[in-house]
Amino acid sequence: GENVEQHPSTLSVQEGDSAVIKCTYSDSASNYFPWYKQELGKRPQLIIDIRSNVGEKKDQRIAVTLNKTAKHFSLHITETQPEDSAVYFCAATRSNDYKLSFGAGTTVTVRA
Amino acid sequence: GAGVSQSPSNKVTEKGKDVELRCDPISGHTALYWYRQSLGQGLEFLIYFQGNSAPDKSGLPSDRFSAERTGGSVSTLTIQRTQQEDSAVYLCASSLALAGYNEQFFGPGTRLTVL
């Protein structure tokens, strides 16, 4: 089955700086990579996703990059703000599969 | 519209007791998933439903865990003879259809504490 590793486990950044979270996956057939954000005490919510037919996707201050050859993908948050403080989870799956395999999560703290 | 709801939000039980956790998916979503989130850990997949059918139960941690879904809507996750290691947040999610490109919408979770 798919195995997703996520680094770092915790990340502290100064407000306005960038944050980068990296994930690797094991199944070369995986072709869908969503990112979920979970604020303290709240439910996980999808913030961005990428399919394997593109190398990068951007939505305002967040972007995701995918390197299929190396089997890794990354989340980039620019101009971080206090409301970006949360746990971020990466996940991977095949589009014809039902099961999302999640990374262990990264706790991001944005310091004012 | 209404999102995924779960009840109860918190459940404290004594070791050895049975518990039932309920999930109400978004109306019209055919796929439903259960996950477990232990403190500081990622999301562990437990089981999924396509309609009322659960083709793969291999993610359930032990035979004390079971789940059912009726009418293609509400699902219950039952844990029999609870153990302390069952303490976790149990999350339910639903999606419009099964498989990868469909966003999974999560419920708020049920925090289970086994004393």
Side-chain angles (χ1 to χ4, degrees), chain A residues 31-32 36 38 41-46 49 51-52 89 93-100 102-105, chain B residues 3-5 33 35 37 40-43 45 48 56 58 91 98-108:
Chain A
N31 58 1
Y32 177 60
Y36 283 80
Q38 187 176 29
K42 302 283 183 64
R43 68 191 75 190
Q45 290 190 302
L46 180 73
D49 56 15
R51 302 183 188 186
S52 61
F89 293 98
T93 189
R94 303 179 185 187
S95 60
N96 61 351
D97 200 353
Y98 57 85
K99 177 182 168 183
L100 281 176
F102 283 89
Chain B
V4 178
S5 61
Y33 315 81
Y35 294 88
Q37 186 174 29
Q41 300 297 309
L43 285 79
F45 172 82
Y48 81 98
D56 183 1
S58 62
L91 289 162
L98 202 62
Y101 292 157
N102 290 282
E103 178 180 353
Q104 292 189 19
F105 294 84
F106 282 85

Side-chain angles (χ1 to χ4, degrees), chain B:
Chain B
V4 178
S5 61
Q6 292 184 245
S7 61
S9 55
N10 281 283
K11 177 70 177 179
V12 180
T13 191
E14 293 180 347
K15 178 181 171 181
K17 295 286 180 70
D18 297 351
V19 296
E20 270 193 6
L21 313 180
R22 177 188 167 106
C23 172
D24 278 275
I26 293 172
S27 177
H29 280 195
T30 62
L32 185 147
Y33 315 81
W34 283 99
Y35 294 88
R36 180 167 71 173
Q37 186 174 29
S38 301
L39 187 63
Q41 300 297 309
L43 285 79
E44 176 190 4
F45 172 82
L46 298 179
I47 192 170
Y48 81 98
F49 289 88
Q50 173 61 21
N52 294 332
S53 174
D56 183 1
K57 298 180 172 64
S58 62
L60 295 175
S62 76
D63 58 9
R64 296 185 295 103
F65 287 71
S66 63
E68 65 175 16
R69 188 180 186 195
T70 55
S73 181
V74 171
S75 176
T76 55
L77 177 70
T78 302
I79 309 173
Q80 295 178 309
R81 305 182 302 282
T82 51
Q83 304 293 312
Q84 288 182 334
E85 60 262 29
D86 300 334
S87 296
V89 176
Y90 289 82
L91 289 162
C92 172
S94 71
S95 63
L96 196 58
L98 202 62
Y101 292 157
N102 290 282
E103 178 180 353
Q104 292 189 19
F105 294 84
F106 282 85
T110 293
R111 181 177 298 278
L112 175 66
T113 303
V114 182
L115 302 176

Side-chain angles (χ1 to χ4, degrees), chain A residues 10 17 22 30 33 38 43 52 55 61 65 80 91 106 112:
Chain A
T10 61
D17 288 351
K22 298 182 180 181
S30 287
F33 308 91
Q38 187 176 29
R43 68 191 75 190
S52 61
R61 295 186 297 106
T65 58
T80 53
T106 297

